[in-house]
Amino acid sequence: MTERCGQSMDRRVAALLAMTENGYRNGRSSRAPVSVSECTMPKTVAVVGSGPAGLIAAERLAGAGFAVTVHDRMPSVGRKFLLAGRGGLNLTHTEPYDDFVGRYAEAAPFLRPMLDAFRPEDLVDWVEDLGEETFEGTSGRVFPRSFKASPLLRKWLARLDGLGVRFALRRRWTGWTPEGALRFEGPEGEEIVTADAVLLALGGASWPRMGSDGAWTTILAEKGVPLAPLRASNMGFDVAWSSIMRERFAGEPIKRAFFSHAGRGLRGEAVVTAEGLEGGAIYALSASLRETIAAEGAAELRIDLRPDMAEERIAERLSAPRGKASQATFLHRAAGLSPVGIALMRESTGGPLPAEAKALARLVKSVPLRLTGARPIERAISTAGGVMFEAVDDGLMLKALPGVFVAGEMLDWEAPTGGYLLTACFATGVRAAEGITGF
Ligand SMILES: Cc1cc2nc3c(=O)[nH]c(=O)nc-3n(C[C@H](O)[C@H](O)[C@H](O)COP(=O)(O)OP(=O)(O)OC[C@H]3O[C@@H](n4cnc5c(N)ncnc54)[C@H](O)[C@@H]3O)c2cc1C
């Protein structure tokens, strides 16, 4: 399991010092990655999962002198990370730190120490240190200037290569042998791998075509690891649209509206889909919408189509004579409503719109839409549920499986889009690497 200090010690110390001066320069970590006098650290680490959580852990561990192999079932690394890059790769967010941590809701107390040690600005520094420029969008979201993940991943892999990290791709982890070795299904059949420590960074269950399919839940459940069921997070919802709505408005954005549910709301954007609604504002409310649908069979979303205009003012404008204009033209001229906004109002009443200006204005300010189901996890941006916090120690080692650590989206937290997902994947990956280092 461990080795005595030998020739590799010099290499480890040198790497450790380099790490302290370089890698940890931006880390703001109060936890030393490893004690120089320590001779009992694990020598080999098997990282399973080549997403951001697994790769940052591999970087930290290889930098500290461990022999790291990253295994993945896919033929290439970081597929979901690359997919995230198609949307611009929102790395993190610059809002005040306490607000940032608050986005993790019930998981915030658990994640805070890890985020304290790897803060949003540390992620930005790390990206820039790799030679990728970043910029802050108007909303405080931070992106690479390239708006892509591929240049970043390429540079990251070059760094990992320089650190001696090895990759074993097309290897699906299937569990353990009775002796405790890792079992993989590879191109040539079963492969058995032993390592001094294991990091599972297998992701959630969204977009399984990208690699993370949640099959690990069965394996860990059998080992007695407490798990919360995997659920879609940051996903769209079903609405029983009329055929007119589906045919004419699918793909139309609902812009600059205020979306609310169960006393929580936000200004943002959504998109009408053939099945219902999706988009940033919907994702932000997805956890409470999902829970309401699970408990009650449906959830009511309210949309204020003119959040900048008071109801009285809208009523006043709508009481002007309509003349020969069609209702849609009148609503557009008088209240600035878009065709999709008017269509949403019609869908909500299921019939004609109220004739009276005050009732019409009330509807503009609060269009009720009944959401009847959540879109499947396969199409969700992320996953809620997973390894429960009580299942791990401070270094993210599974209490039921000493020597096995977990990181990233497979842990039981969820967060809205806005860079919170990647930041927590990085922060937990860094923490797991520290846990392994101190193991
Ligand atoms: C469309 C889309 C856009 C997104 N955009 C953003 C964004 O802009 N900002 C943001 O913060 N987040 C975004 N995310 C979320 C972000 O990509 C994920 O939260 C993040 O990739 C999770 O990292 P991870 O390392 O935990 O897992 P993953 O990236 O899912 O990696 C897990 C790896 O484990 C491998 N694996 C799984 N099971 C096995 C097994 N049995 N054997 C071997 N290997 C296995 C998989 O192949 C995979 O490579 C987006 C997600 C999607 C789907």
Side-chain angles (χ1 to χ4, degrees):
M1 189 74 175
T2 55
E3 62 158 9
R4 298 209 46 80
C5 295
Q7 285 182 333
S8 62
M9 183 66 178
D10 286 348
R11 196 168 69 85
R12 279 197 185 150
V13 172
L16 212 171
L17 291 174
M19 190 72 172
T20 311
E21 282 162 16
N22 303 321
Y24 273 72
R25 187 190 52 207
N26 300 323
R28 293 194 185 89
S29 173
S30 55
R31 291 162 68 107
V34 66
S35 149
V36 171
S37 63
E38 194 174 334
C39 303
T40 54
M41 53 191 173
K43 194 181 170 207
T44 55
V45 182
V47 173
V48 193
S50 69
L55 293 185
I56 191 68
E59 178 182 329
R60 290 291 167 113
L61 289 163
F66 291 87
V68 182
T69 304
V70 178
H71 306 259
D72 203 290
R73 61 178 279 238
M74 302 304 281
S76 61
V77 303
R79 291 211 167 179
K80 193 180 281 182
F81 187 63
L82 289 171
L83 178 68
R86 281 204 222 150
L89 198 70
N90 185 185
L91 294 158
T92 193
H93 207 288
T94 58
E95 69 189 332
Y97 182 62
D98 282 342
D99 295 345
F100 183 93
V101 176
R103 304 286 176 189
Y104 298 93
E106 298 100 78
F110 174 80
L111 290 174
R112 184 182 274 275
M114 299 174 222
L115 294 164
D116 286 351
F118 192 83
R119 293 169 66 109
E121 55 269 33
D122 295 325
L123 178 52
V124 171
D125 287 349
W126 175 85
V127 171
E128 302 236 333
D129 195 48
L130 265 180
E132 276 296 293
E133 236 186 285
T134 62
F135 80 98
E136 184 185 326
T138 43
S139 59
R141 293 173 179 226
V142 181
F143 300 87
R145 196 163 285 286
S146 67
F147 253 127
K148 284 188 199 148
S150 44
L152 180 63
L153 186 60
R154 213 172 300 122
K155 288 174 183 163
W156 196 1
L157 292 179
R159 176 183 283 180
L160 292 173
D161 187 52
L163 288 168
V165 173
R166 298 176 57 201
F167 287 88
L169 302 176
R170 291 194 173 89
R171 263 73 175 181
R172 172 189 262 281
W173 173 66
T174 56
W176 286 274
T177 64
E179 296 74 34
L182 297 168
R183 305 178 97 122
F184 288 93
E185 252 169 46
E188 312 288 329
E190 187 168 71
E191 292 175 19
I192 305 295
V193 171
T194 54
D196 297 318
V198 174
L199 171 64
L200 300 177
L202 302 163
S206 75
W207 286 83
R209 279 190 295 125
M210 300 296 128
S212 36
D213 59 4
W216 54 265
T217 49
T218 315
I219 306 171
L220 292 191
E222 275 169 12
K223 293 283 181 189
V225 176
L227 303 175
L230 301 187
R231 278 119 52 224
S233 181
N234 293 304
M235 70 299 199
F237 287 88
D238 297 326
V239 183
W241 297 133
S242 66
S243 52
I244 296 183
M245 186 72 182
R246 201 173 302 121
E247 282 154 24
R248 283 197 49 204
F249 293 99
E252 279 293 312
I254 307 163
K255 291 186 175 174
R256 292 179 291 277
F258 187 89
F259 300 79
S260 59
H261 170 68
R264 267 198 65 231
L266 78 159
R267 200 181 270 254
E269 237 182 89
V271 180
V272 174
T273 64
E275 296 82 17
L277 286 172
E278 63 177 42
I282 304 298
Y283 300 157
L285 298 171
S286 64
S288 74
L289 289 168
R290 179 190 66 219
E291 297 309 317
T292 305
I293 292 171
E296 297 166 21
E300 191 180 74
L301 175 77
R302 295 259 167 185
I303 309 178
D304 178 350
L305 295 170
R306 291 304 317 264
D308 293 324
M309 203 184 278
E311 191 175 311
E312 298 69 36
R313 178 90 182 106
I314 298 172
E316 203 179 296
R317 286 177 163 226
L318 291 176
S319 49
R322 182 166 135 189
K324 287 187 185 155
S326 70
Q327 189 179 40
T329 307
F330 174 69
L331 285 170
H332 176 65
R333 279 198 203 133
L337 296 176
S338 64
V340 69
I342 299 164
L344 286 170
M345 288 165 61
R346 290 200 173 118
E347 289 289 310
S348 76
T349 64
L353 294 178
E356 204 245 326
K358 274 191 181 165
L360 201 49
R362 208 173 307 129
L363 186 59
V364 171
K365 293 295 286 178
S366 185
V367 182
L369 286 180
R370 193 176 137 85
L371 309 189
T372 55
R375 298 302 301 149
I377 196 164
E378 288 76 18
R379 303 295 294 180
I381 301 279
S382 61
T383 305
V387 176
M388 294 170 86
F389 303 146
E390 68 196 53
V392 292
D393 70 8
D394 281 355
L396 296 183
M397 184 171 78
L398 290 170
K399 291 175 190 164
L401 295 166
V404 180
F405 296 73
V406 289
E409 212 181 296
M410 66 184 291
L411 282 157
D412 179 20
W413 54 271
E414 67 177 312
T417 56
Y420 308 99
L421 300 165
L422 283 175
T423 309
C425 288
F426 274 85
T428 54
V430 167
R431 172 53 61 91
E434 290 177 353
I436 290 171
T437 305
F439 172 59

